[in-house]
Amino acid sequence: MTTKIKFSWMVMLFVSSSFLLSCANDDEIAESLDNSISEFKHLRILVSDEVSSTLSLVNPSLNNAISFESRFPKSALYTSDSGRFGTIIHRDNNVTETFDTGLEFHGDHVDIKGTPKFGAMVGNSSKPTHFKSSLGEILTFNDGDGTLAVGKETDIHTAGATMTIVNAGLLAHHGAMAVFSNGTYAITEKDNTITGALPERVKIIDKTGTQLFASTIATNGIHGNASDGQSAVFGSASGILVVKSDGQQALIPHPQDFGTAWFGTILETATVGQFVGYTVAKGAYLINVVNNTVTPIFQNTNIMQCKVSYDKTTLGILLHSGNFISFNLATNTVATSEVNVIEATQTTSTQKPQMVLSQRFVYITSPTTGELIMVNTKNTADLRKIKVSDTPYRLSIMGFENNADH
């Protein structure tokens, strides 16, 4: 009996030791996997070129790219609300193209809906510039005549489809728009109280261009905007202009040390009521339109790129020095410590590296080497390069942060 008890204890000790060792090994394996992580299988990066009309569709998980030919070089790239489609804006040529990744999200997995290709729908408008996509629509604000061009994602493969022009009776200006969750638009307007191309006011219109709510606040210039569906936030020389879907308007003051600086870029986050404001003169700040606060995230005048991650939870900063740092927007704390990822770029350079970031990687164009550089944000020593076109110009994340198939 005594022998059996001793044997049982020995077995238990062996099993316990094996279990602890197994747990330790699992932790080591998990850490190893985290440090050599792959990008999501269904995520893509679309890259345009400055000199040629080449578009490169990068599959980071496979470390490769396939090429397409758009209508013109030097195009701006954006991603639709669904994540499936891309929008290619040729501002100087008055044309907007559409592109299909061939990936369709179904809640918990992704279906392959054909091969990547251009959509049939195009936009023909005067200097399409500012882009937004929400509620299944893609929109451009057309600087040449102050109109909107609106297209539906469901029409992208309809033969002969064109984006609809919405005329709200505006003067031509360098404008912007935002989409509310009720389907109406906040749109800038110019009243010529200041000189130059920037607008001074914002009004709300419906899909026909009919005014629903007039502007109640005049500013000394507007540039940059974002929306969470309930509030549209515009960068303004007079303060941060907040426009509610019911027509209410208010200004949030800039921080006291701003002087004449103001946010020319406003970015959306994953938190309702919270936005990122960026100005090269001061840095990046959290704007809370619920309690009307402006809180520093990263105060620095050497920022080259300031972008929110694809899931809108993280702010990535790329400095002219070539250093990268990121912040968790929910906690306003450092997510990736500052680290050098590329060579320094002169502030006078005509074509600077461009950046986007996913949950796992930051992607940076290299205009001089024709590469897309991807850096693992959990292990920045993990740096990879993918050959694209000779002079990459702009880029956009497309597809889905998901690995599951049907």
Side-chain angles (χ1 to χ4, degrees), residues 229-366:
Q230 303 303 313
S231 301
V233 179
F234 294 80
S236 156
S238 302
I240 303 155
L241 179 62
V242 181
V243 179
K244 302 288 187 178
S245 59
D246 62 1
Q248 295 182 63
Q249 300 192 7
L251 284 172
I252 299 175
H254 295 121
Q256 290 185 350
D257 64 347
F258 262 43
T260 59
W262 54 285
F263 296 122
T265 298
I266 307 291
L267 304 171
E268 295 160 5
T269 77
T271 303
V272 173
Q274 184 171 281
F275 300 82
V276 172
Y278 164 64
T279 170
V280 67
K282 288 291 182 179
Y285 293 70
L286 272 179
I287 301 168
N288 189 311
V289 302
V290 177
N291 56 25
N292 295 334
T293 58
V294 182
T295 307
I297 303 173
F298 187 66
Q299 295 172 298
N300 192 294
T301 59
N302 190 39
I303 295 174
M304 181 165 61
Q305 290 275 283
C306 176
K307 297 289 182 68
V308 171
S309 62
Y310 197 39
D311 67 354
K312 300 180 182 179
T313 63
T314 306
L315 182 71
I317 301 285
L318 181 64
L319 302 171
H320 279 96
S321 63
N323 287 4
F324 171 80
I325 185 171
S326 71
F327 297 85
N328 181 319
L329 289 171
T331 59
N332 196 11
T333 56
V334 173
T336 303
S337 298
E338 186 170 335
V339 62
N340 185 258
V341 292
I342 61 170
E343 294 183 358
T345 302
Q346 297 297 318
T347 57
T348 54
S349 297
T350 55
Q351 182 49 237
K352 298 178 177 65
Q354 303 292 304
M355 177 190 74
V356 293
L357 61 154
S358 69
Q359 293 180 38
R360 296 177 174 180
F361 287 87
V362 55
Y363 297 88
I364 304 167
T365 58
S366 175

